[in-house]
C-alpha cells in the first residue's frame, strides 16, 4: 500500500497505485475498485480510493493534435492545464475556463467540471469539451460528444471519474490577443457591497472574483476586495513575457509543515486587516500577466503545508440569489464566531448558463469558498453546520472540495444522482462515492472499517 494525499491532506487513506503509460492499454485487473487520479488537486476524498487502486494518469501526457487556426486541441487526459498554456498562449489561445490552479489535468477538469472567474460569461469547462474517449472496465471504448453517446457525455462531465477512464479529450480554446489582463481591484465594505459591485461588473468584465475578510463582523461583515478584468486589447501586444509565463511559479515554497499555532485568530485577523487596507479604500487598475491574475497561489509551491500535518478542509457552497444575502450572512457569522478563522475565503457569482454534466456543481447564484485548518471534531462540526445552512438555503456543496458531506445532503444537492448511478462503472469507486452512497454500493464505510453492519448514519459525526 502507498499513501497518496488529496490537496487538503484530509482524510488520510491507504490505497494502491497503478501508473498508466499508454492510452491504448487495457485497464489493469486489481482487487478492489479503481479510480483515475491526476495531480491530486481535489481537496477532500473524491480523488482518494481507500482500499482500492488509483490509476495514475500523469503518464498520459501527450498532445495528439492542435490546430492554431481554429484553437481546437486534442490531448491525452493526463496533460495538465499548465502544459496546454505553455503551448497555446504564445500562439494566441487560452483555456475557455480555468480554475484557480493550472496544475490540474484535462481529465480532472472534466471529471469535476471545473469553473473559473468567468462562469457568468462562459459556464463550466465541460461546455468546451468537444469529445473524449471513455474506457470502461469491460474493455469497451466509446467516443462521447454532445451528439455521440450524449448520455455518457453528460454522465462523465462532472462525474468524478466514476464512469470509466477518460483516455483523451478534445477542447475548444478561446482566442486572446496577448497574455495580459487589464485588472481592476475594487474594495467593498460588506456583503451587500459585494453583491452590488459583483452584479454590476458582470456586464463589462469577463472575469470577476473577490477575496473576503471572514473575520470582519457587524457592519463590516463580508468586506473584501473584488478583482475584475478582461484580456488586454491588441495595443498591448509585443510587451515582453513575464518570467512566470515559462516557469513553475516564482521560486517561493513552503519548505515544511507549519506548526498548527501559526494560523490563529490573531494572525489571520492581522493579515486580513493589512490585505484589505493595502488598497487605501480606492479602486486600482493595473496591467498584469495572466499567471498572477488566474493562479496567484501556484506561485507558492506546496502552499497547503501552511495548515500543518493535519491538513485543512475547504468548504465551497453555492446558494441561489433569492437566499444569498441571508444565507451567506449566516454562514460568514457562523464561521467568524466559531473560533476557527478561514485563512483564505473567496466569493464569486455564477451565471445561468447550464452545465452539460449531470453532477456538475455550478448553478446560478453566489458561491463562497473557505479554508479551515483541520482541528478535528471542532472543524468537522463547523463544516457540518455550514453544510446544513447551505441545504436550508436551497444551495449545494462542491464535491471536489468536500470531505464531510452527508448522503442525505448529496442526494438533495444533486437530483440527477439516480440517473447518474446507472452509468457508474462497476469496477470504479472512490472514498467520496462510498461515503455519500453507503447503502447502495457493494462497499460501505462500516465494511471498510471491519465493523458489523449498521443502519446508514444520518450525521456526519456519526459517520466518523
Amino acid at each position: 500500500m502507498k499513501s497518496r494525499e488529496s490537496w487538503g491532506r484530509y482524510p488520510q487513506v491507504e490505497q494502491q497505485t497503478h501508473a498508466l503509460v499508454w492510452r491504448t492499454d487495457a485497464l489493469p485487473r486489481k482487487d478492489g475498485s479503481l479510480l483515475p487520479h491526476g495531480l491530486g488537486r481535489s481537496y477532500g476524498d473524491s480523488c482518494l480510493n481507500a482500499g482500492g487502486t488509483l490509476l495514475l494518469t500523469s503518464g498520459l501526457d501527450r498532445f495528439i493534435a492542435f490546430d492554431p487556426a481554429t484553437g481546437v486541441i486534442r490531448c491525452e487526459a493526463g496533460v495538465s492545464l499548465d502544459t496546454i498554456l505553455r503551448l497555446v498562449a504564445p500562439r494566441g489561445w487560452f483555456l475557455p475556463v480555468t480554475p484557480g490552479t493550472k496544475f490540474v489535468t484535462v481529465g480532472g477538469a472534466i471529471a469535476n467540471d471545473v469553473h473559473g472567474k468567468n462562469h457568468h460569461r462562459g459556464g463550466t469547462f465541460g461546455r468546451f469539451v468537444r469529445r473524449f474517449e471513455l474506457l470502461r472496465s469491460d474493455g469497451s471504448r466509446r467516443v462521447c460528444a454532445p451528439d455521440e453517446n450524449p448520455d455518457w457525455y453528460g454522465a462523465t462531465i462532472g462525474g468524478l471519474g466514476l464512469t470509466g477512464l477518460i483516455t483523451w479529450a478534445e477542447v475548444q480554446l478561446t482566442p486572446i490577443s496577448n497574455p495580459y489582463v487589464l485588472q481592476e481591484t475594487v474594495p467593498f465594505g460588506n456583503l451587500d457591497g459585494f453583491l452590488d459591485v459583483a452584479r454590476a461588473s458582470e456586464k463589462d468584465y469577463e472575469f470577476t472574483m473577490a477575496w473576503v475578510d471572514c473575520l470582519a463582523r457587524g457592519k463590516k461583515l463580508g468586506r473584501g476586495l473584488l478583482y475584475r478584468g478582461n484580456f488586454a486589447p491588441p495595443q498591448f501586444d509585443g510587451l515582453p513575457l513575464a518570467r512566470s509565463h515559462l516557469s513553475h511559479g516564482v521560486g517561493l515554497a513552503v519548505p515544511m509543515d507549519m506548526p498548527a499555532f501559526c494560523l490563529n485568530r490573531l494572525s489571520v485577523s492581522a493579515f486580513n486587516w493589512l490585505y484589505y487596507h493595502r488598497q487605501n479604500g480606492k479602486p486600482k487598475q493595473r496591467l498584469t500577466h495572466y499567471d498572477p491574475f488566474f493562479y496567484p497561489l501556484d506561485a507558492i509551491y506546496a502552499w497547503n503545508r501552511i495548515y500543518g500535518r493535519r491538513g485543512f478542509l475547504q468548504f465551497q457552497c453555492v446558494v441561489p440569489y433569492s437566499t444569498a444575502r441571508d444565507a451567506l450572512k449566516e454562514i460568514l457569522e457562523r464561521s467568524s464566531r466559531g473560533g476557527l478563522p478561514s485563512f483564505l475565503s473567496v466569493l464569486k457569482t455564477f451565471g445561468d448558463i447550464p452545465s452539460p454534466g449531470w453532477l456538475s456543481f455550478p448553478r446560478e447564484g453566489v458561491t463562497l469558498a473557505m479554508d479551515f485548518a483541520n482541528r478535528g471534531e471542532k472543524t468537522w462540526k463547523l463544516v457540518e453546520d455550514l453544510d446544513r445552512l447551505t441545504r436550508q438555503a436551497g444551495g449545494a456543496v462542491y464535491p471536489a472540495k468536500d470531505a464531510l458531506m452527508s448522503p442525505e445532503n448529496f442526494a438533495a444537492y444533486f437530483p440527477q444522482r439516480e440517473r447518474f448511478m446507472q452509468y457508474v462503472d462497476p469496477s470504479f469507486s472512490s472514498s467520496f462515492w462510498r461515503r455519500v452512497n453507503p447503502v447502495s454500493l457493494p462497499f460501505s464505510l462500516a465494511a471498510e472499517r471491519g465493523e458489523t453492519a449498521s443502519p446508514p448514519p444520518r450525521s456526519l459525526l456519526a459517520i466518523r
Side-chain angles (χ1 to χ4, degrees):
M1 293 285 187
K2 180 180 179 182
S3 178
R4 185 169 284 260
E5 298 177 330
S6 65
W7 191 246
R9 310 180 77 182
Y10 175 84
Q12 297 281 333
V13 305
E14 293 294 327
Q15 56 208 329
Q16 294 182 330
T17 60
H18 178 92
L20 302 176
V21 179
W22 304 105
R23 66 178 183 271
T24 53
D25 285 351
L27 292 175
R29 294 185 179 278
K30 298 283 186 179
D31 293 333
S33 59
L34 306 173
L35 181 70
H37 184 94
L39 296 177
R41 287 300 182 117
S42 294
Y43 285 61
D45 56 358
S46 67
C47 64
L48 302 177
N49 190 16
T53 298
L54 296 180
L55 302 175
L56 306 183
T57 64
S58 58
L60 304 178
D61 58 354
R62 304 168 188 87
F63 288 113
I64 300 172
F66 172 55
D67 185 345
T70 63
V72 175
I73 189 167
R74 180 181 292 192
C75 62
E76 292 182 336
V79 174
S80 72
L81 302 188
D82 175 54
T83 304
I84 291 178
L85 288 174
R86 290 165 185 269
L87 171 69
V88 306
R91 293 165 175 78
W93 295 95
F94 200 77
L95 297 164
V97 171
T98 180
T101 175
K102 57 190 175 184
F103 299 126
V104 301
T105 64
V106 170
I110 296 173
N112 294 286
D113 199 13
V114 297
H115 57 272
K117 296 178 175 64
N118 63 338
H119 187 275
H120 59 283
R121 292 281 190 91
T124 64
F125 187 85
R127 293 187 63 246
F128 300 90
V129 177
R130 292 161 55 96
R131 54 181 46 81
F132 56 82
E133 182 186 67
L134 187 68
L135 172 60
R136 299 272 289 182
S137 60
D138 62 4
S140 64
R141 294 174 184 265
R142 50 175 57 84
V143 174
C144 307
D147 57 355
E148 186 174 4
N149 296 309
D151 282 354
W152 291 97
Y153 180 81
T156 302
I157 293 178
L160 303 172
L162 297 168
T163 61
L165 174 71
I166 300 172
T167 59
W168 58 263
E170 189 175 278
V171 180
Q172 175 65 61
L173 303 173
T174 190
I176 57 173
S177 181
N178 54 63
Y180 299 106
V181 175
L182 282 170
Q183 172 188 314
E184 184 173 16
T185 307
V186 183
F188 51 90
N190 50 39
L191 182 59
D192 287 336
F194 162 77
L195 293 171
D196 291 341
V197 72
R199 296 306 299 269
S201 300
E202 292 178 355
K203 177 182 178 182
D204 298 321
Y205 293 89
E206 180 80 14
F207 309 106
T208 66
M209 61 82 68
W211 166 84
V212 183
D213 178 0
C214 273
L215 291 180
R217 294 187 178 186
K219 295 181 179 179
K220 298 177 181 178
L221 182 75
R223 72 176 179 182
L225 304 172
L226 182 125
Y227 300 91
R228 60 190 185 188
N230 295 308
F231 270 107
Q235 55 261 43
F236 293 96
D237 292 356
L239 291 177
L241 290 177
R243 176 170 170 256
S244 60
H245 184 182
L246 299 177
S247 65
H248 286 278
V250 294
L252 299 177
V254 180
M256 56 182 287
D257 295 325
M258 301 292 285
F261 61 81
C262 290
L263 286 181
N264 55 55
R265 189 176 187 87
L266 183 62
S267 63
V268 175
S269 293
F271 172 84
N272 287 357
W273 190 92
L274 291 171
Y275 195 79
Y276 179 76
H277 286 90
R278 68 176 187 161
Q279 287 291 125
N280 296 320
K282 300 177 181 178
K284 289 185 178 179
Q285 295 179 319
R286 69 167 180 156
L287 181 70
T288 183
H289 189 270
Y290 73 72
D291 227 32
F293 180 78
F294 289 106
Y295 314 112
L297 287 177
D298 283 349
I300 306 173
Y301 178 73
W303 65 262
N304 56 341
R305 300 182 72 177
I306 66 173
Y307 292 95
R309 292 181 182 277
R310 300 184 70 179
F312 69 103
L313 285 81
Q314 183 169 95
F315 171 81
Q316 182 173 359
C317 68
V318 57
V319 291
Y321 282 111
S322 59
T323 59
R325 180 171 277 100
D326 290 340
L328 294 176
K329 180 180 178 182
E330 180 62 26
I331 289 173
L332 288 169
E333 288 180 339
R334 177 68 185 85
S335 62
S336 176
R337 65 175 182 260
L340 293 168
S342 170
F343 181 65
L344 181 62
S345 305
V346 173
L347 270 171
K348 223 199 87 58
T349 56
F350 284 159
D352 60 359
I353 303 173
S355 303
W358 300 345
L359 290 191
S360 292
F361 161 72
R363 58 206 72 184
E364 187 176 19
V366 183
T367 182
L368 169 65
M370 295 185 286
D371 292 349
F372 299 103
N374 182 16
R375 302 284 188 261
E377 290 282 346
K378 188 175 182 180
T379 305
W380 304 339
K381 181 64 169 61
L382 172 62
V383 173
E384 186 178 49
D385 286 347
L386 303 185
D387 202 340
R388 175 179 51 78
L389 292 171
T390 300
R391 182 174 173 181
Q392 291 173 349
V397 171
Y398 193 9
K401 304 291 183 68
D402 177 73
L404 297 173
M405 187 188 305
S406 71
E408 293 84 358
N409 285 353
F410 178 74
Y413 297 151
F414 300 97
Q416 296 203 69
R417 164 180 168 272
E418 294 293 335
R419 180 188 184 193
F420 169 77
M421 291 176 70
Q422 301 174 41
Y423 292 82
V424 173
D425 190 298
S427 294
F428 280 48
S429 186
S430 69
S431 295
F432 171 85
W433 188 244
R434 292 189 290 277
R435 174 163 56 83
V436 299
N437 296 279
V439 178
S440 58
L441 293 178
F443 305 94
S444 73
L445 293 174
E448 286 186 355
R449 293 170 175 170
E451 300 169 353
T452 56
S454 59
R458 300 188 60 81
S459 165
L460 296 174
L461 297 179
I463 289 175
R464 286 187 294 274

